[in-house]
Short mmCIF file of all heavy atoms in Angstrom, two decimals:
data_model
loop_
_atom_site.label_atom_id
_atom_site.label_comp_id
_atom_site.label_asym_id
_atom_site.label_seq_id
_atom_site.Cartn_x
_atom_site.Cartn_y
_atom_site.Cartn_z
N LYS A 88 160.18 130.55 -78.63
CA LYS A 88 159.02 130.88 -79.18
C LYS A 88 158.67 132.36 -78.98
O LYS A 88 157.68 132.77 -78.82
CB LYS A 88 157.86 130.04 -78.63
CG LYS A 88 157.86 128.61 -78.92
CD LYS A 88 156.80 127.76 -78.36
CE LYS A 88 156.80 126.39 -78.81
NZ LYS A 88 157.91 125.71 -78.87
N ASP A 89 159.84 133.17 -79.20
CA ASP A 89 159.70 134.60 -79.11
C ASP A 89 159.61 135.25 -80.51
O ASP A 89 160.67 135.28 -81.21
CB ASP A 89 160.95 135.20 -78.48
CG ASP A 89 160.97 136.72 -78.19
OD1 ASP A 89 160.15 137.30 -78.89
OD2 ASP A 89 161.74 137.10 -77.51
N TRP A 90 158.42 135.22 -81.10
CA TRP A 90 158.23 135.42 -82.52
C TRP A 90 158.65 136.88 -82.90
O TRP A 90 159.09 136.98 -84.10
CB TRP A 90 156.73 135.14 -82.93
CG TRP A 90 156.32 133.74 -82.47
CD1 TRP A 90 155.36 133.40 -81.59
CD2 TRP A 90 157.06 132.52 -82.72
NE1 TRP A 90 155.44 132.03 -81.42
CE2 TRP A 90 156.51 131.47 -82.10
CE3 TRP A 90 158.19 132.25 -83.57
CZ2 TRP A 90 156.91 130.14 -82.12
CZ3 TRP A 90 158.60 130.89 -83.60
CH2 TRP A 90 157.89 129.94 -83.05
N LYS A 91 158.55 137.84 -82.00
CA LYS A 91 158.98 139.18 -82.37
C LYS A 91 160.40 139.09 -82.48
O LYS A 91 161.00 139.83 -83.35
CB LYS A 91 158.63 140.15 -81.28
CG LYS A 91 159.11 141.50 -81.53
CD LYS A 91 158.68 142.52 -80.42
CE LYS A 91 159.27 143.83 -80.70
NZ LYS A 91 159.10 144.89 -79.57
N GLU A 92 161.17 138.46 -81.75
CA GLU A 92 162.71 138.24 -81.80
C GLU A 92 163.09 137.43 -83.05
O GLU A 92 164.05 137.81 -83.68
CB GLU A 92 163.30 137.65 -80.46
CG GLU A 92 164.80 137.54 -80.57
CD GLU A 92 165.44 138.95 -80.34
OE1 GLU A 92 164.95 139.68 -79.42
OE2 GLU A 92 166.40 139.20 -81.04
N VAL A 93 162.26 136.44 -83.33
CA VAL A 93 162.53 135.75 -84.67
C VAL A 93 162.44 136.59 -85.80
O VAL A 93 163.38 136.53 -86.65
CB VAL A 93 161.54 134.52 -84.69
CG1 VAL A 93 161.56 133.87 -86.11
CG2 VAL A 93 161.84 133.36 -83.63
N ALA A 94 161.32 137.40 -85.91
CA ALA A 94 161.25 138.31 -87.04
C ALA A 94 162.39 139.35 -87.06
O ALA A 94 162.91 139.57 -88.13
CB ALA A 94 159.98 139.09 -86.85
N GLY A 95 162.88 139.96 -85.93
CA GLY A 95 163.90 140.77 -85.83
C GLY A 95 165.14 140.13 -86.38
O GLY A 95 165.93 140.77 -87.06
N GLN A 96 165.47 138.93 -85.96
CA GLN A 96 166.64 138.20 -86.43
C GLN A 96 166.54 137.94 -87.83
O GLN A 96 167.64 138.09 -88.55
CB GLN A 96 166.86 136.81 -85.68
CG GLN A 96 167.23 137.23 -84.14
CD GLN A 96 168.28 138.08 -83.98
OE1 GLN A 96 169.37 138.09 -84.68
NE2 GLN A 96 168.29 139.09 -82.98
N VAL A 97 165.46 137.64 -88.46
CA VAL A 97 165.36 137.31 -89.98
C VAL A 97 165.65 138.69 -90.70
O VAL A 97 166.50 138.61 -91.66
CB VAL A 97 163.90 136.81 -90.23
CG1 VAL A 97 163.66 136.87 -91.70
CG2 VAL A 97 163.93 135.37 -89.63
N VAL A 98 165.23 139.73 -90.16
CA VAL A 98 165.49 141.09 -90.78
C VAL A 98 166.96 141.30 -90.75
O VAL A 98 167.66 141.78 -91.72
CB VAL A 98 164.72 142.27 -90.13
CG1 VAL A 98 165.14 143.55 -90.70
CG2 VAL A 98 163.19 142.00 -90.50
N ARG A 99 167.51 141.20 -89.43
CA ARG A 99 168.99 141.39 -89.48
C ARG A 99 169.83 140.52 -90.27
O ARG A 99 170.91 141.03 -90.80
CB ARG A 99 169.41 141.21 -87.89
CG ARG A 99 169.01 142.35 -87.09
CD ARG A 99 168.88 142.04 -85.67
NE ARG A 99 168.50 143.28 -84.72
CZ ARG A 99 167.41 143.95 -84.86
NH1 ARG A 99 166.35 143.43 -85.41
NH2 ARG A 99 167.26 145.06 -84.02
N ILE A 100 169.54 139.28 -90.40
CA ILE A 100 170.37 138.42 -91.32
C ILE A 100 170.02 138.80 -92.79
O ILE A 100 171.12 138.86 -93.35
CB ILE A 100 169.77 136.92 -91.02
CG1 ILE A 100 170.20 136.47 -89.80
CG2 ILE A 100 170.37 135.98 -92.15
CD1 ILE A 100 169.55 135.06 -89.23
N ALA A 101 168.88 139.21 -93.17
CA ALA A 101 168.71 139.70 -94.47
C ALA A 101 169.52 140.99 -94.71
O ALA A 101 169.99 141.17 -95.87
CB ALA A 101 167.17 139.96 -94.70
N LEU A 102 169.63 141.91 -93.83
CA LEU A 102 170.41 143.06 -94.06
C LEU A 102 171.83 143.13 -93.85
O LEU A 102 172.66 143.96 -94.18
CB LEU A 102 169.71 144.18 -93.20
CG LEU A 102 168.40 144.64 -93.47
CD1 LEU A 102 167.78 145.65 -92.49
CD2 LEU A 102 168.20 145.32 -94.85
N LEU A 103 172.26 142.04 -93.26
CA LEU A 103 173.72 141.88 -92.82
C LEU A 103 174.66 142.03 -93.94
O LEU A 103 175.71 142.81 -93.91
CB LEU A 103 173.83 140.50 -92.06
CG LEU A 103 175.14 140.32 -91.39
CD1 LEU A 103 174.99 139.47 -90.21
CD2 LEU A 103 176.29 139.62 -92.24
#
Side-chain angles (χ1 to χ4, degrees):
K88 296 180 176 32
D89 182 344
W90 306 121
K91 181 179 176 187
E92 187 70 42
V93 167
Q96 291 305 319
V97 168
V98 168
R99 282 159 175 76
I100 290 169
L102 293 176
L103 191 146

